[in-house]
């Protein structure tokens, strides 16, 4: 069962090493099937070049394995918290892609410095607060999801308008309507993070892009008046 779900997640997983977002077994991808109340997620600790579509694990929304012989990604509980909090997202990607991770390790937002960023992210990609010792020693993976949800609520951000986050001291999560879209957002995040870090070296006083230019680019590609692409 769930062959299409597994296949979609598997193919998105393979995009991570191909696009330079992940090495070894790093990173994970999941997709939710909201009608059947299951998620498909990468198995824990399986290298991408050894992985098969049937290795993708199917879990219920409590995190119990419904189908599959391997253990799910250790970040499963982070994914579950995000799916429950945000019904508008259907796929999640987590990587330790270096440039986005460098910002996360520095505890800094990815500022919207230009239109490359504004085409996908309607404002800065936020960095969360650091988790407390209690949170890390407790239900760590679920708390990672909670701090992401908390960050978006506190900063009045909408996950479909800013489809990524930097978890302080850890790395990026990105999401979308499908695994392919979530991977694409993770790739754009990495590219923007790379440019932003170098931009700050070129000009430490660099400013975010003007709000009118951010609006123009974001709404050219998103929303009911979008004009980008073909009819
Ligand atoms: Zn991680």
């Amino acid at each position: 069962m769930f062959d299409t779900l597994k296949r979609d997640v598997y193919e998105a997983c393979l995009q991570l090493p191909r696009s330079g977002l992940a090495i070894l077994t790093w990173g994970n991808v999941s997709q939710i099937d909201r009608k059947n109340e299951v998620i498909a997620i990468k198995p824990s600790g399986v290298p991408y070049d050894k992985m098969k579509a049937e290795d993708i694990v199917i879990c219920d929304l409590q995190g119990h394995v419904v189908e599959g012989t391997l253990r799910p990604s250790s970040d499963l509980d982070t994914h579950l918290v995000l799916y429950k909090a945000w019904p508008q997202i259907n796929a999640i990607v987590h990587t330790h892609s270096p440039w986005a991770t460098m910002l996360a390790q520095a505890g800094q937002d990815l500022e919207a410095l230009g239109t490359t960023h504004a085409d996908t992210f309607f404002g800065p990609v936020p960095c969360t607060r650091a988790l407390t010792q209690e949170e890390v020693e407790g239900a760590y993976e679920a708390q990672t999801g909670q701090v992401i949800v908390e960050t978006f609520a506190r900063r009045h951000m909408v996950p479909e308008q800013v489809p990524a986050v930097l978890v302080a001291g850890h790395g990026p999560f990105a999401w979308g309507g499908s695994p392919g879209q979530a991977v694409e957002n993770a790739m754009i995040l990495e590219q923007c993070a790379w440019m932003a870090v170098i931009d700050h070296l070129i000009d430490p006083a660099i400013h975010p892009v003007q709000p009118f230019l951010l609006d123009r680019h974001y709404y050219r590609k998103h929303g009911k008046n979008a004009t980008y692409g073909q009819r």
Side-chain angles (χ1 to χ4, degrees):
M1 275 177 77
F2 307 114
D3 287 347
T4 312
L5 200 62
K6 287 184 202 170
R7 171 65 53 181
D8 288 352
V9 169
Y10 170 69
E11 283 173 1
C13 281
L14 295 188
Q15 289 291 325
L16 299 186
R18 277 184 202 147
S19 56
L21 293 180
I23 58 169
L24 304 170
T25 65
W26 299 6
N28 45 68
V29 179
S30 75
Q31 181 177 20
I32 190 167
D33 175 342
R34 292 191 182 271
K35 193 166 125 272
N36 291 305
E37 300 186 330
V38 293
I39 80 161
I41 191 163
K42 177 183 171 280
S44 182
V46 177
Y48 292 101
D49 58 352
K50 302 272 190 300
M51 195 184 300
K52 299 187 291 293
E54 54 266 35
D55 293 337
I56 301 298
V57 186
I58 305 289
C59 296
D60 65 20
L61 301 189
Q62 285 68 52
H64 304 119
V65 175
V66 173
E67 199 175 295
T69 51
L70 300 171
R71 289 168 62 190
S73 163
S74 49
D75 291 323
L76 171 67
D77 286 350
T78 309
H79 293 234
L80 288 173
V81 167
L82 297 183
Y83 287 129
K84 286 175 191 170
W86 295 337
Q88 61 273 58
I89 69 165
N90 290 317
I92 297 169
V93 172
H94 171 52
T95 78
H96 290 196
S97 64
W99 294 95
T101 300
M102 281 186 249
L103 285 175
Q105 291 178 169
Q108 290 191 13
D109 288 0
L110 169 59
E111 296 289 354
L113 297 181
T115 65
T116 323
H117 181 114
D119 280 337
T120 299
F121 304 109
F122 191 47
V125 174
C127 185
T128 68
R129 64 168 173 81
L131 293 178
T132 64
Q133 184 175 353
E134 207 178 4
E135 288 168 333
V136 171
E137 291 174 354
Y140 169 62
E141 292 80 10
Q143 291 295 346
T144 300
Q146 294 295 353
V147 81
I148 295 171
V149 174
E150 171 199 306
T151 300
F152 273 68
R154 183 168 48 81
R155 297 184 59 171
H156 307 290
M157 289 180 164
V158 183
E160 58 270 42
Q161 290 189 333
V162 180
V165 70
L166 304 170
V167 176
H170 186 169
F173 284 77
W175 46 82
S178 67
Q181 196 183 62
V183 170
E184 194 175 296
N185 289 334
M187 290 169 66
I188 296 167
L189 174 73
E190 180 63 3
Q191 193 80 5
C192 290
W194 172 46
M195 291 191 285
V197 172
I198 305 282
D199 261 340
H200 277 103
L201 294 178
I202 297 169
D203 177 6
I206 192 167
H207 291 294
V209 68
Q210 304 95 317
F212 56 83
L213 186 57
L214 179 87
D215 282 14
R216 183 83 177 113
H217 267 261
Y218 184 79
Y219 286 114
R220 219 169 56 157
K221 290 186 99 169
H222 305 268
K224 62 178 171 31
N225 295 321
T227 57
Y228 178 84
Q230 302 305 317
R231 278 180 208 284

